[in-house]
């Protein structure tokens, strides 16, 4: 049996305090090259991993008699040929077995409540289906199926597990992808490519295979780790990453905690490999064990990690773990929740749960024995109430659901865990879905909403109001009434809303049917002022941001002698616009010039249409060096000026790029 991730991390980090890494180790500065765009690459738009909760799924438990090709107690015991028992144990927590239709007798004594000490097999489709049902019920969006070296005796069973996961994902409307764990894989560089080409790539035909940025997702865990089980050079690792990308894949990398600094658990000289990944997910199992550790990692690693990822257009997906039951780490959910809080406040693009079914490390969120009554009497294993607080078997699934809601903006950022370890009063029935949602009035910065009341078996406590957007939805507020006014909105902008009802026990209904309403226009408000900009290039210090800073004395200038050139502003949301005002510095030193340009618009930043066709516009200092372009009101988020000529200088030039609703 191979070295586990936890044993590797623990070994590498032994004796190395978090505080030993200075904050300055994360600092790096480089002057931008002339002619390059100033704006950092943007993180990816929401997809099947960005903006989502991904759970690591082992799917690697088997039992003798289950029909699996491996024909052993795979990962349940040290000696797979023998049933697990107190002297042949490989797990740190006991699963809740109440929902599995098939189970297998172990060598443990009976449970403390007198029931049989049986375990499930991942090879049974009903087991995988049950796990994916739990994912569906608890907001686990995507499962990363772990795939170790498939060329040995475990290969046929792993191949079959991939097919079983595909079936469960399709049945329960979840996403999944293949995540290669390269630990101990001797001939990894050639065999991982062959495995993808010959076997795993076929899974991408499934409608449930995870896609990000229009590309199938592949995970690779283990590049750059500083131990003998991950020995490959940076060149070999980079070759594998870029090969998968050449196959059209979006590549997620499970990397060491110290990937950015290249010390401790990371080999030095691998930053180029890490920056090649589309998504980075630093490993935390064995590296943190309590809230203080989480806070230290947040300051020393997560904050600089996120900044570096932002600067390089890499999506950041840090780990969140529930804690090892056997090590008393869980603090009845407070440890896990604080990690959710830290990862959401750092601005992570997604969260990776380590892990869904990792009973071997005790870090599983899957349903687990809630009390010692459902643990074998002679096992010595602890239950979820190990710290004296009663927890239901599904508690960490429910906690994950709330963490996902906070990630998606459906729950306000809070360091206080909102999830009760046991549902109060036993009320598990949510209210009915609100109906009849409608807009009751709009201003330039608000929309009034009302709806028909929900019902509940105990009583409706209130309603959550959401703005629905590309990343899911963002909670705007809550109310005990059946009306709400969404405020702080942008003028001349369309918004989509929905409502959910909740009761006193914390049960929340599904969201109502959504409606879309637009705010009215506000006169003489520059929608582009201080908004994010980008450009095809710039010269010296004449950066794109100068064009929206409200100062006509500063300006953007494109790369010289390189037409066509463009300047773009992101208005922050789709808005109705009908007028653009362009300025050059109002100085007599700026001789009259004519610039030829067109105006393009987009709602998603990738597909642009023509708003105003190409034409010549004359800027004359005698009349303020200003040009106004009017057009029919158009809904856009991104506006781009495309320059093809300038008879006063061989570059595009703008000191102020102003955008108005009317």
């Amino acid at each position: 049996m191979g070295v586990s991730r936890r044993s590797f991390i623990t070994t590498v980090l032994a004796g190395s305090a978090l505080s030993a890494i200075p904050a300055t180790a994360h600092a790096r500065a480089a002057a931008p090259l002339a002619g390059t765009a100033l704006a950092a690459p943007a993180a990816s738009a929401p997809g099947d991993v960005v903006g989502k909760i991904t759970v690591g799924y082992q799917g690697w438990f088997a039992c003798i008699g289950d029909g699996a090709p491996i024909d052993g107690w795979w990962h349940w015991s040290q000696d797979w040929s023998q049933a697990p028992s107190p002297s042949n144990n490989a797990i740190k927590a006991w699963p809740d077995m109440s929902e599995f239709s098939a189970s297998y007798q172990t060598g443990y004594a009976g449970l403390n409540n007198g029931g049989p000490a049986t375990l499930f097999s991942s090879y049974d489709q009903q087991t995988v289906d049950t796990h994916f049902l739990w994912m569906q019920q608890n907001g686990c969006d995507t499962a990363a199926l772990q795939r170790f070296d498939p060329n040995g005796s475990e290969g046929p069973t792993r191949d079959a597990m991939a097919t079983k996961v595909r079936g469960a994902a399709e049945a329960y409307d979840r996403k999944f992808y293949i995540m290669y764990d390269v630990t101990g894989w001797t001939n990894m560089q050639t065999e991982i490519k062959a495995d993808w080409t010959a076997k795993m790539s076929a899974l991408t035909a499934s409608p449930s295979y995870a896609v990000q940025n229009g590309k199938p997702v592949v995970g690779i865990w283990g590049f750059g780790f500083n131990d003998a089980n991950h020995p490959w050079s940076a060149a070999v690792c980079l070759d594998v990453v870029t090969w998968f990308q050449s196959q059209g894949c979006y590549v997620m990398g499970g990397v060491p905690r110290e990937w950015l600094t290249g010390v401790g658990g990371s080999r030095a000289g691998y930053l180029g490999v890490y920056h090649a990944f589309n998504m980075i997910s630093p490993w935390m199992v064995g590296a943190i064990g309590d809230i203080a550790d989480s806070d230290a990692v947040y300051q020393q690693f997560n904050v600089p990690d996120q900044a570096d990822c932002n600067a390089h257009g890499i999506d950041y997906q840090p780990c969140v773990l529930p804690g090892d039951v056997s090590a008393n780490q869980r603090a009845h959910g407070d440890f896990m929740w604080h990690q959710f809080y830290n990862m959401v406040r750092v601005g992570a693009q997604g969260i990776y749960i380590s892990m869904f079914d990792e009973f071997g490390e005790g870090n599983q969120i899957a349903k687990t024995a809630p009390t010692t009554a459902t643990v074998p009497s002679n096992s010595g294993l602890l239950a979820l109430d190990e710290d004296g607080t009663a927890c239901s078997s599904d508690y960490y699934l429910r906690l994950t659901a709330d963490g996902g809601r906070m990630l998606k903006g459906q729950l306000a950022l809070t360091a206080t865990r909102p999830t009760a370890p046991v549902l109060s009063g036993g009320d598990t029935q949510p209210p009915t879905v609100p109906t009849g949602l409608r807009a009751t009035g709009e201003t330039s910065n608000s929309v009034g909403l009302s709806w028909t009341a929900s019902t509940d078996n105990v009583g409706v406590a209130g309603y959550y109001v959401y703005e629905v957007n590309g990343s899911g939805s963002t909670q705007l507020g809550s109310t005990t009434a059946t009306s709400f006014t969404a405020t702080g909105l942008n003028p001349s902008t369309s918004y989509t809303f929905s409502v959910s009802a909740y009761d006193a026990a914390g049960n929340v209904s599904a969201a109502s049917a959504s409606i879309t309403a637009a705010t009215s226009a506000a006169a003489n408000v520059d929608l582009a002022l201080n908004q994010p900009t980008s450009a095809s290039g710039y010269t010296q210090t004449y950066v794109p941001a100068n064009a929206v800073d409200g100062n006509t004395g500063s300006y953007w200038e494109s790369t010289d002698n390189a037409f066509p050139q463009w300047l773009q502003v992101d208005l922050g949301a789709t808005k109705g616009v009908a007028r653009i005002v362009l300025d050059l510095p109002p100085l007599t030193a700026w001789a009259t010039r004519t610039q030829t340009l067109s105006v393009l618009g987009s709602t998603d930043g990738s597909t642009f249409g023509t708003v105003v066709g190409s034409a010549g516009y004359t800027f004359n200092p005698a009349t303020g060096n200003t040009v106004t372009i009017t057009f029919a009101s158009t809904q856009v988020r991104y506006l781009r000026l495309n320059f093809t000529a300038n008879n006063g200088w061989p570059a595009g030039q703008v000191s102020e790029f102003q955008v108005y609703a009317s």
Side-chain angles (χ1 to χ4, degrees):
M1 186 165 66
V3 175
S4 73
R5 295 176 182 174
R6 179 190 172 92
S7 61
F8 158 69
I9 291 286
T10 303
T11 301
V12 170
L13 296 180
S16 176
L18 290 173
S19 59
I21 299 177
T24 54
H26 299 291
R28 55 173 44 82
L33 297 175
T36 59
L38 177 70
S44 298
D48 291 339
V49 288
V50 171
K52 298 297 191 295
I53 293 290
T54 298
V55 294
Y57 189 68
Q58 298 285 23
W60 65 359
F61 295 102
C63 307
I64 291 178
D66 62 5
I70 202 165
D71 191 28
W73 289 89
W74 196 29
H75 290 279
W76 285 128
S77 59
Q78 295 291 333
D79 179 355
W80 295 350
S81 68
Q82 301 295 318
S85 67
S87 61
N88 187 32
N89 176 55
I91 60 174
K92 294 184 176 180
W94 194 265
D96 175 359
M97 292 295 299
S98 61
E99 296 181 43
F100 300 108
S101 61
S103 60
Y104 301 83
Q105 183 62 50
T106 69
Y108 289 101
L111 306 181
N112 285 308
N113 65 6
T118 60
L119 291 169
F120 66 78
S121 168
S122 302
Y123 196 76
D124 291 328
Q125 185 68 57
Q126 191 269 341
T127 296
V128 186
D129 287 348
T130 299
H131 285 162
F132 274 73
L133 172 62
W134 295 347
M135 294 181 201
Q136 181 190 57
Q137 293 170 332
N138 294 280
C140 303
D141 303 295
T142 302
L145 175 61
Q146 311 300 288
R147 186 168 176 82
F148 292 76
D149 180 355
N151 297 292
S153 60
E154 300 182 21
T157 305
R158 290 194 182 280
D159 292 349
M161 288 309 307
T163 301
K164 294 175 188 292
V165 165
R166 171 180 178 167
E170 291 175 355
Y172 293 96
D173 193 26
R174 299 297 88 188
K175 300 295 184 178
F176 77 101
Y177 68 87
I178 296 299
M179 184 171 178
Y180 287 103
D181 188 323
V182 297
T183 302
W185 193 342
T186 304
N187 299 314
M188 179 276 302
Q189 185 179 11
T190 57
E191 291 179 354
I192 195 172
K193 299 174 186 177
D195 183 73
W196 177 255
T197 301
K199 294 181 178 180
M200 295 297 102
S201 62
L203 296 173
T204 63
S206 169
S208 290
Y209 196 89
V211 173
Q212 183 62 52
N213 301 349
K215 301 177 180 181
V217 179
V218 172
I220 303 175
W221 192 96
F223 284 173
F225 283 83
N226 191 17
D227 78 308
N229 280 296
H230 305 85
W232 311 283
S233 68
V236 166
C237 296
L238 184 60
D239 169 70
V240 172
V241 175
T242 56
W243 181 86
F244 273 101
Q245 290 168 335
S246 76
Q247 304 303 298
C249 297
Y250 172 99
V251 185
M252 170 269 192
V255 301
R257 183 186 67 176
E258 301 91 346
W259 68 273
L260 185 56
T261 55
V263 299
S266 173
R267 296 176 183 271
Y270 280 67
L271 190 60
V273 177
Y274 303 141
H275 280 163
F277 284 116
N278 302 103
M279 171 175 272
I280 283 180
S281 185
W283 189 243
M284 288 295 155
V285 175
I288 59 174
D290 57 26
I291 289 174
D293 286 349
S294 177
D295 283 344
V297 165
Y298 171 79
Q299 292 292 342
Q300 296 184 16
F301 295 98
N302 298 135
V303 171
D305 281 2
Q306 183 73 70
D308 187 83
C309 285
N310 291 348
H312 290 87
I314 300 168
D315 300 318
Y316 188 50
Q317 186 198 53
C319 289
V320 164
L321 54 141
D324 181 356
V325 174
S326 69
N328 303 98
Q329 291 180 341
R330 296 202 169 195
H332 52 272
D334 285 347
F335 174 47
M336 187 179 191
W337 186 259
H338 204 77
Q339 294 169 69
F340 276 125
Y341 167 70
N342 281 337
M343 298 310 98
V344 173
R345 70 175 172 140
V346 85
Q349 277 70 55
I351 289 176
Y352 185 92
I353 304 296
S354 311
M355 307 278 283
F356 184 86
D357 56 341
E358 183 48 280
F359 291 93
E361 293 178 349
N363 270 299
Q364 75 291 337
I365 62 169
K367 294 186 182 183
T368 301
T371 70
T372 55
T374 49
V375 170
S377 61
N378 64 341
S379 67
L381 297 175
L382 301 176
L384 293 184
D385 64 352
E386 44 79 22
D387 70 347
T389 300
C391 299
S392 62
S393 67
D394 69 341
Y395 174 47
Y396 289 89
L397 290 166
R398 293 188 288 108
L399 198 69
T400 298
D402 278 348
R405 291 174 59 218
M406 188 163 67
L407 171 69
K408 298 167 186 175
Q410 299 166 0
L411 179 71
L413 178 68
T414 175
T416 303
R417 168 181 50 78
T419 319
V422 177
L423 290 172
S424 62
D427 177 13
T428 61
Q429 180 176 326
T432 60
V433 177
T435 59
L437 179 62
R438 57 197 178 276
T440 56
E442 304 84 18
T443 69
S444 62
N445 60 7
S446 69
V447 172
L449 302 168
S450 66
W451 55 90
T452 302
S454 297
T455 60
D456 184 67
N457 62 319
V458 176
V460 175
Y463 300 88
Y464 296 122
V465 181
Y466 307 107
E467 178 197 343
V468 182
N469 48 51
S471 60
S473 56
T474 301
Q475 184 178 323
L476 300 178
S478 62
T479 178
T480 57
T482 56
S483 61
F484 182 86
T485 299
T487 59
L489 308 181
N490 293 315
S492 190
T493 304
S494 293
Y495 292 89
T496 302
F497 303 96
S498 66
V499 181
S500 291
Y502 63 91
D503 62 21
N507 301 306
V508 182
S509 76
S512 69
S514 60
I515 64 155
T516 298
T519 54
S520 57
N524 300 320
V525 174
D526 179 7
L527 304 177
L529 184 63
N530 295 320
Q531 293 297 323
T533 56
S534 56
S536 53
Y538 65 90
T539 299
Q540 300 177 20
T541 60
Y542 307 121
V543 298
N546 289 350
V548 295
D549 64 1
N551 176 13
T552 57
S554 64
Y555 62 96
W556 164 78
E557 183 173 299
S558 75
T559 306
D560 292 350
N561 297 298
F563 288 120
Q565 293 284 295
W566 55 265
L567 171 66
Q568 180 175 305
V569 63
D570 176 1
L571 303 180
T574 298
K575 302 178 181 181
V577 301
R579 179 166 54 102
I580 291 173
V581 177
L582 304 179
D583 292 313
L584 289 178
L587 305 173
T588 56
W590 282 72
T592 299
R593 66 200 63 204
T594 298
Q595 299 195 70
T596 303
L597 61 95
S598 58
V599 181
L600 307 179
S602 173
T603 57
D604 60 10
S606 60
T607 302
F608 283 80
T610 300
V611 177
V612 179
S614 181
Y617 297 93
T618 299
F619 295 80
N620 186 343
T623 56
N625 245 0
T626 186
V627 163
T628 298
I629 305 172
T630 59
F631 44 90
S633 182
T634 304
Q635 291 287 320
V636 293
R637 172 171 174 172
Y638 302 88
L639 275 175
R640 178 179 292 184
L641 305 176
N642 192 52
F643 293 81
T644 56
N646 181 348
N647 67 4
W649 190 258
Q653 298 170 310
V654 176
S655 67
E656 283 302 297
F657 179 4
Q658 302 171 61
V659 179
Y660 297 93
S662 60

